[in-house]
Amino acid sequence: MRARSAEKEANEGEPRWAYLRSTWEELHRFAKVHGLSHATCIALKKTLDALTMNETDQEPLKFYKLENIKPSGDLLADARKILAEAERLERVDWRHARRNRATAISLGTAVPARPEDVHKNHVFGKGLFWDADTGNYRFEYRPQKTCGTVAEPLRIPLNPEYGAFIDAVILQDQDRRYLGDLRAQAIAAQRPLYVNYDGSPCAYGWYSRQWAAITGTGGQIARTVIYDSFASEGEFGLQYAKASTFHKTDAIPEKYRSMKSKEVSYRTAQDLIFANRSDDDYADLI
């Protein structure tokens, strides 16, 4: 509700130029492909350029939603609580559902995948792998949005703490001594990471609904949250955010960074300047 309130306020008094720009972009593309007159294409392009300029001056709606969403570390803490609470629920299907939700939120803080990739690639033995040598899981797959243009896969090894969530959705109510066998079965069967209590794959929209239950908006917001959360870590943090979202150019991350994120980066850089100074540098000024 809080995110929707911020969204409503952001829409008051001014249209969302991004919506209009995307509409005119498709109209312009349609006109060119279907051979409409040159004058029509020019007119559409002129309007498209104006809308693009207006969009540049308007803060994206997702940044308004961020105002009421916790940073990645706090979301991970919430996921831990959900996982712990699952053990105390009376019904087995409720416990199953809560473990799924906890895992969806936790992994979204490490690898904020698009819902389409969660549905198609977060699958044991297909996009999610177990490294027996290290005892850790890793994601490795070609994201759906860029698989036709980028040959390089997304490859992110996971911290063991994230692995504990994955183990939980494998085990559910089974004894931990069966984990190895159940994991091997899931990999051999290429089982989706998220399945319902009856064993069927969770629906396409399931992932975003889990995020909406916790943050008030869908799973796509995780890709913006990670940039805000890692801004204080300097270049290292931003590079991780870029890698985990599979943004291959420097231009794309700019669209996911709020002004708050940029201001945090500026403060971090200035703090680093003062942290690296020598007190002797000021001796002659006193």
Side-chain angles (χ1 to χ4, degrees):
M1 291 298 291
R2 292 193 301 270
R4 290 183 179 180
S5 176
E7 181 176 340
K8 181 179 178 181
E9 292 175 7
N11 275 311
E12 287 182 354
E14 186 178 37
R16 298 306 303 176
W17 299 115
Y19 298 159
L20 293 173
R21 187 268 309 154
S22 63
T23 300
W24 251 259
E25 189 172 27
E26 291 305 317
L27 287 172
H28 181 245
R29 184 179 292 113
F30 179 90
K32 291 197 299 181
V33 169
H34 290 274
L36 272 67
S37 70
H38 180 68
T40 298
C41 291
I42 290 295
L44 288 170
K45 183 63 166 61
K46 185 179 294 186
T47 302
L48 174 60
D49 290 343
L51 292 172
T52 300
M53 185 172 294
N54 287 344
E55 180 188 4
T56 302
D57 295 333
Q58 187 178 59
E59 189 168 44
L61 195 57
K62 57 192 171 189
F63 295 148
Y64 288 94
K65 296 177 180 179
L66 271 179
E67 294 176 4
N68 295 302
I69 295 177
K70 297 177 181 179
S72 296
D74 290 346
L75 288 172
L76 180 58
D78 286 347
R80 289 197 201 100
K81 292 177 183 177
I82 296 170
L83 189 62
E85 290 168 357
E87 303 304 317
R88 298 191 289 272
L89 295 177
E90 180 180 357
R91 287 176 44 172
V92 63
D93 55 335
W94 290 353
R95 296 195 295 273
H96 183 105
R98 287 299 180 87
R99 292 181 186 118
N100 276 357
R101 174 176 291 179
T103 304
I105 300 302
S106 70
L107 293 183
T109 68
V111 183
R114 295 182 179 88
E116 184 178 12
D117 285 313
V118 173
H119 187 64
K120 293 186 176 181
N121 290 319
H122 288 200
V123 176
F124 290 104
K126 180 181 177 183
L128 175 58
F129 300 91
W130 169 252
D131 290 326
D133 292 340
T134 63
N136 295 322
Y137 294 95
R138 78 176 189 279
F139 281 115
E140 184 170 347
Y141 58 85
R142 293 172 65 194
Q144 292 293 309
K145 187 173 182 178
T146 56
C147 64
T149 56
V150 180
E152 176 190 355
L154 175 147
R155 190 179 191 279
I156 302 288
L158 294 173
N159 182 288
E161 184 167 340
Y162 289 110
F165 287 91
I166 298 173
D167 288 345
V169 298
I170 292 175
L171 277 172
Q172 292 297 345
D173 281 346
Q174 300 294 328
D175 191 284
R176 189 167 183 82
R177 61 183 171 173
Y178 300 120
L179 176 59
D181 290 338
L182 291 172
R183 182 192 292 127
Q185 290 175 18
I187 293 171
Q190 292 198 340
R191 195 206 89 176
L193 175 58
Y194 305 111
V195 295
N196 298 307
Y197 179 59
D198 63 4
S200 61
C202 289
Y204 179 92
W206 174 88
Y207 178 74
S208 280
R209 289 198 296 273
Q210 305 315 300
W211 271 79
I214 302 301
T215 68
T217 190
Q220 189 79 5
I221 197 66
R223 301 172 67 77
T224 305
V225 169
I226 198 167
Y227 276 102
D228 265 39
S229 297
F230 280 77
S232 61
E233 302 301 322
E235 183 64 18
F236 167 80
L238 295 176
Q239 286 300 320
Y240 179 79
K242 182 180 176 182
S244 65
T245 52
F246 206 64
H247 288 150
K248 305 306 292 181
T249 70
D250 291 331
I252 297 176
E254 285 300 309
K255 297 180 179 180
Y256 285 80
R257 295 196 63 194
S258 67
M259 182 53 67
K260 175 184 174 182
S261 166
K262 294 175 182 178
E263 289 174 352
V264 169
S265 291
Y266 300 155
R267 288 198 299 271
T268 299
Q270 292 174 11
D271 289 345
L272 184 62
I273 292 171
F274 282 96
N276 289 336
R277 72 173 172 81
S278 169
D279 288 337
D280 293 340
D281 295 339
Y282 291 84
D284 294 338
L285 302 178
I286 299 176

